[in-house]
Amino acid sequence: MALRKILRHSSSIANLYFPSTPLSLSFSNRFSSSSSSSETLNSETPTSSISIDRSSLYNPPDHSHLPNSDSELSKHLKGIIKFRGGPVSVGEYMSQVLTNPKSGYYINRDVFGAQGDFITSPEVSQMFGEMVGVWVMCLWEQMGQPQRLNLVEMGPGRGTLMADLLRGVSKFKKLVESLDIHMVECSPALQKIQHQKLKCVDEENAAQDSDKRALSFLVGSQIPVSWHATMEQVPSGLPTIIIGHEFFDALPVHQFQKVSRGWCEKMVDVAEDSSFRFVLSPQPTPATLYLLKRCKWAAPEEIAELNQIEVCPQAMELTETIVNRISSDGGGALIIDYGFNGVISDSLQAIRKHKFVDLLDDPGSADLSAYVDFPSIRHSAEEASGEVSVHGPITQSQFLGSLGINYRVEALLQNCTEEQAESLRTGYWRLVGDGEAPFWEGPDECVPIGMGTRYKVMAIVNKKQGVPVPFE
């Protein structure tokens, strides 16, 4: 079996009405507003929410919106609102904050790791990328070991996952020699870091191409690497394996609030004191169509219990793009993210320097992310094509454990220093543990927090490949 070989080597919504005038929202803690003129919703204020528990994060401190201290992005957002004569959706706000070409959060900086705003699983331990490599190897074998394979990573961060994956499968020359790597990355700054991490050398004719191309010499063999702004730009025609780790959580979400008149979309507006504030849309919005679709997929009693709902249109559309590619070219996709196996109520959070901060404070200086709605991905995939099968979600702990991370950590512990052993144990717990590490003897504020159950894993594969490891 491939796994052993690798381990040896390494319903629609009723009463959908909208108010005739915008309603200001006033929330406690998570959605604080500095606008003194905001109207509260009283009994209609939401009471249910889904909170995000990421490692080493704390409650947000109080923030003030100082006059005349607007960043370039804040000015840009206020310009959009003024030009339109009305507020923008939370989804558009989120999109501008994260990927504005000039001053978006992801565009011109390295936001990952201890010196950034948050740490992802690949940065925790090399074992994460190695286990994803095991999964890729197994699916490649199920595909019949094609001679050419598009290996796509969406939102590759620093390139750490891809680098560890390649080192993990480097002994399987036939697989390595089949690879065409495609990095879906919109940030020029991160593209440069990924280029260095994979030890790339630019091709001579790369400048003539619309997409950046290079050759990676990380594991000896020359592996073609290309960068693309979107998944749609990845060339088709070859069997394809797609990896999306902490990618879907950064796609813009739209939020809806239930009031006496029905469901209204939450928007971002500018208050009289020039600070940003939340209001409710006075009329139906384009995202309402996605709200209807999401509610159609849910049980009526599930919707009845909620006062807020988040939907992610881009996640639904991206899933369709992925499924169409897998259906036509063969292969599969692996989605790893923190999320919920049900309708998402209220999960959008801002993170700066490993702490939760106000969503509307200094746009572009903090990461915005939301829980991934895995059932929405499943339904989008199944409606897009009958040629694919969807598996999971299962917990990250189950996924990594089934692929052999326990054996891998034991092997690494046999030949390392005490300092390295401590790092391995800490990294292992963060990847597969649940809650605080029981073995920790250091400062309380540094205790490792396990992500093993908070993160979920889902696979979408062409039915011709059968059931992927470890979803049997």
Side-chain angles (χ1 to χ4, degrees):
M1 182 179 174
L3 180 57
R4 293 196 184 97
K5 288 198 296 181
I6 296 170
L7 291 175
R8 283 199 304 266
H9 286 278
S10 61
S11 107
S12 64
I13 307 175
N15 303 320
L16 185 63
Y17 302 113
F18 294 83
S20 58
T21 57
L23 292 173
S24 298
L25 301 186
S26 177
F27 296 107
S28 61
N29 293 331
R30 297 176 62 193
F31 292 120
S32 61
S33 173
S34 61
S35 174
S36 59
S37 60
S38 294
E39 303 173 35
T40 63
L41 294 182
N42 299 322
S43 61
E44 294 172 350
T45 302
T47 57
S48 62
S49 65
I50 297 174
S51 62
I52 298 175
D53 179 18
R54 274 181 154 181
S55 303
S56 303
L57 297 177
Y58 304 93
N59 291 328
D62 293 332
H63 293 277
S64 61
H65 300 269
L66 300 177
N68 304 319
S69 61
D70 282 350
S71 65
E72 182 178 351
L73 184 57
S74 291
K75 294 176 181 177
H76 176 70
L77 283 163
K78 291 177 181 179
I80 293 176
I81 294 170
K82 181 179 180 180
F83 177 78
R84 292 183 183 175
V88 298
S89 69
V90 170
E92 185 173 357
Y93 174 84
M94 187 174 176
S95 180
Q96 286 287 339
V97 167
L98 296 181
T99 59
N100 179 277
K102 288 187 177 181
S103 47
Y105 175 77
Y106 284 118
I107 299 302
N108 299 311
R109 71 188 84 179
D110 177 11
V111 300
F112 301 94
Q115 302 305 313
D117 292 317
F118 55 88
I119 298 176
T120 61
S121 294
E123 304 293 338
V124 167
S125 172
Q126 69 183 66
M127 294 183 289
F128 183 83
E130 291 172 347
M131 294 301 105
V132 174
V134 170
W135 188 86
V136 169
M137 177 73 185
C138 291
L139 184 58
W140 175 72
E141 289 205 343
Q142 287 180 260
M143 295 164 64
Q145 300 186 7
Q147 293 184 349
R148 300 304 303 167
L149 176 71
N150 279 340
L151 179 58
V152 184
E153 184 177 2
M154 302 183 299
R158 286 176 167 170
T160 304
L161 188 157
M162 184 61 72
D164 290 337
L165 185 159
L166 292 176
R167 280 189 284 261
V169 303
S170 60
K171 293 183 180 180
F172 298 89
K173 297 298 182 183
K174 190 175 179 181
L175 170 60
V176 173
E177 292 171 358
S178 75
L179 295 177
D180 277 303
I181 295 176
H182 298 273
M183 311 286 262
V184 179
E185 178 59 70
C186 64
S187 167
L190 290 176
Q191 285 184 9
K192 291 180 181 179
I193 295 173
Q194 295 154 14
H195 189 281
Q196 296 170 355
K197 179 74 73 171
L198 298 180
K199 299 189 183 303
C200 288
V201 176
D202 290 332
E203 290 185 337
E204 292 183 5
N205 62 343
Q208 304 172 9
D209 231 285
S210 58
D211 294 320
K212 182 178 178 181
R213 296 192 301 164
L215 292 173
S216 170
F217 291 85
L218 180 68
V219 293
S221 302
Q222 299 181 20
I223 305 175
V225 183
S226 303
W227 283 264
H228 316 274
T230 65
M231 181 66 205
E232 289 84 355
Q233 295 174 0
V234 177
S236 60
L238 289 179
T240 301
I241 296 179
I242 301 166
I243 300 168
H245 173 256
E246 288 209 46
F247 183 78
F248 278 79
D249 69 274
L251 297 178
V253 297
H254 292 251
Q255 296 186 320
F256 288 83
Q257 171 73 50
K258 183 191 289 184
V259 295
S260 59
R261 299 170 181 86
W263 290 99
C264 305
E265 183 166 5
K266 188 190 297 183
M267 314 290 281
V268 177
D269 201 358
V270 179
E272 292 181 0
D273 64 356
S274 195
S275 65
F276 290 107
R277 64 171 181 170
F278 290 104
V279 297
L280 292 180
S281 172
Q283 58 190 2
T285 61
T288 304
L289 295 175
Y290 292 92
L291 175 64
L292 287 167
K293 180 182 287 190
R294 183 62 188 94
C295 291
K296 178 190 70 174
W297 293 334
E301 57 270 20
E302 187 177 12
I303 300 299
E305 294 176 355
L306 299 175
N307 291 314
Q308 297 189 82
I309 293 179
E310 283 179 357
V311 295
C312 187
Q314 285 194 24
M316 299 179 190
E317 294 169 357
L318 176 61
T319 300
E320 293 179 10
T321 299
I322 291 171
V323 166
N324 290 335
R325 181 65 60 91
I326 294 171
S327 298
S328 61
D329 294 345
L334 185 70
I335 300 168
I336 308 174
D337 228 311
Y338 60 95
F340 187 64
N341 198 20
V343 178
I344 307 298
S345 172
D346 171 25
S347 70
L348 182 60
Q349 295 280 11
I351 299 170
R352 183 192 300 130
K353 298 298 180 184
H354 305 271
K355 297 181 181 180
F356 289 127
V357 296
D358 192 294
L359 281 167
L360 301 181
D361 182 69
D362 193 11
S365 67
D367 178 40
L368 302 185
S369 62
Y371 263 39
V372 173
D373 181 352
F374 283 102
S376 179
I377 296 176
R378 170 184 291 277
H379 287 289
S380 297
E382 292 173 345
E383 287 190 2
S385 174
E387 301 297 318
V388 302
S389 58
V390 184
H391 306 272
I394 61 176
T395 67
Q396 178 170 289
S397 180
Q398 291 172 311
F399 177 77
L400 297 177
S402 298
L403 291 174
I405 193 172
N406 295 344
Y407 301 106
R408 182 58 175 153
V409 71
E410 289 175 2
L412 291 172
L413 285 171
Q414 291 177 3
N415 187 27
C416 64
T417 65
E418 183 56 38
E419 183 179 354
Q420 291 171 332
E422 183 66 22
S423 177
L424 280 170
R425 285 191 289 267
T426 299
Y428 172 80
W429 180 263
R430 284 179 170 163
L431 292 179
V432 305
D434 182 15
E436 297 183 357
F439 58 82
W440 185 249
E441 297 180 352
D444 290 344
E445 63 271 17
C446 298
V447 60
I449 307 295
M451 303 182 290
T453 57
R454 294 205 308 276
Y455 280 70
K456 307 293 192 297
V457 185
M458 174 177 277
I460 306 171
V461 299
N462 190 298
K463 288 182 177 178
K464 295 178 182 178
Q465 274 79 251
V467 180
V469 173
F471 297 90
E472 301 95 334

